Amino acid sequence: MSASITALERSAGTTPHCDLIHSSSLSWSVGSTVNPTSVVVGCLSTRRTLCIMSEASELENARGAAQTRLERAVGEGRLTLAQYSDHAAVVWAPTVEQNELDAIAPNTMEPVPTRAQSQSKILCLLSDVKRAGRWALAKSTVAVLIMGDLTLDLRSAIIGSNESTITIVSLFGDSELIVPDGVNVEIGGFDVLGDRDIDTGSVDPGPYAPTIKIRSFSMFGDLKVQSPR
């Protein structure tokens, strides 16, 4: 009987023996109502279930650690918003593997020389202003538009914290903001004789994503917020 049990274990792809099988309190004899094969199969099935649960728990812990490193990296300016978006998509992908998570935003990344300020002001007076490429978005930005337009491309921007606020006061001026997927966007303010076109995509930013708060107060001006396709 012991030999047949061992053969069953090997055929199931497992080497360690279940303690239940070798318990001195368990004995079988001809005519016994206990089916030894069922006991072995049930024991091995339970062990596989526990292994799967342990692997899932380890993967979730690795996800959390990778997400924490991402938040720190983007808050310290070591990642742009677009880079954060790309890495976050990998972290929360259903098919992600442990080695991929370990490579996300390692702590050895060098900080970039560009540093975001705590406050910034933008004035568009009878002129247009456009910010794109790699640039530092302050924690609080105030833009005043008087017969001028403003375009802010945040895809390659770095931020000084996980939350930045952009306040726009516009008179006869249009505003356009481009925000990468995976970044949380909050819209506030009001428009008088102006339109709002808000399309931040269908990607769920997740609970710990960086947040861009946009407060727009406009008269005779439009606001457009979009995520690139």
Side-chain angles (χ1 to χ4, degrees):
M1 179 63 70
S2 177
S4 62
I5 290 175
T6 303
L8 267 171
E9 287 181 318
R10 290 174 179 171
S11 66
T14 180
T15 302
H17 298 289
C18 178
D19 293 338
L20 177 61
I21 297 172
H22 297 283
S23 174
S24 59
S25 62
L26 182 63
S27 61
W28 298 302
S29 62
V30 178
S32 173
T33 58
V34 178
N35 188 332
T37 302
S38 299
V39 173
V40 172
V41 172
C43 189
L44 298 179
S45 177
T46 300
R47 183 159 51 200
R48 288 195 196 93
T49 301
L50 292 175
C51 289
I52 291 173
M53 292 175 61
S54 176
E55 291 174 358
S57 177
E58 291 178 1
L59 187 63
E60 289 306 310
N61 290 339
R63 284 185 198 270
Q67 180 64 39
T68 299
R69 294 196 303 272
L70 276 181
E71 294 173 32
R72 185 186 303 117
V74 73
E76 294 176 350
R78 293 185 283 131
L79 290 177
T80 67
L81 289 177
Q83 289 171 330
Y84 169 87
S85 176
D86 293 339
H87 289 318
V90 174
V91 169
W92 299 105
T95 57
V96 68
E97 296 184 359
Q98 180 79 37
N99 61 331
E100 295 178 285
L101 292 172
D102 292 340
I104 293 291
N107 293 323
T108 56
M109 290 177 61
E110 293 293 333
V112 297
T114 308
R115 291 295 181 183
Q117 301 176 350
S118 59
Q119 294 184 338
S120 177
K121 295 181 176 62
I122 300 174
L123 176 62
C124 303
L125 178 60
L126 299 175
S127 61
D128 300 335
V129 173
K130 180 177 181 179
R131 296 298 305 270
R134 195 179 188 91
W135 61 288
L137 176 65
K139 186 174 182 180
S140 176
T141 299
V142 177
V144 178
L145 285 60
I146 301 177
M147 300 186 69
D149 298 334
L150 173 67
T151 301
L152 298 179
D153 187 342
L154 303 181
R155 287 174 291 183
S156 295
I158 63 171
I159 59 178
S161 66
N162 283 346
E163 181 178 295
S164 292
T165 301
I166 301 174
T167 303
I168 303 171
V169 180
S170 173
L171 176 63
F172 291 101
D174 299 330
S175 304
E176 179 180 4
L177 291 90
I178 304 173
V179 184
D181 288 331
V183 175
N184 189 36
V185 179
E186 298 180 6
I187 309 292
F190 62 83
D191 301 307
V192 177
L193 297 177
D195 298 325
R196 290 194 175 196
D197 182 6
I198 312 298
D199 182 4
T200 55
S202 58
V203 177
D204 184 3
Y208 307 109
T211 298
I212 304 297
K213 295 183 177 181
I214 302 172
R215 304 290 182 258
S216 177
F217 306 91
S218 175
M219 181 176 293
F220 300 104
D222 300 334
L223 172 65
K224 183 177 183 179
V225 181
Q226 63 176 343
S227 293
R229 293 293 179 266

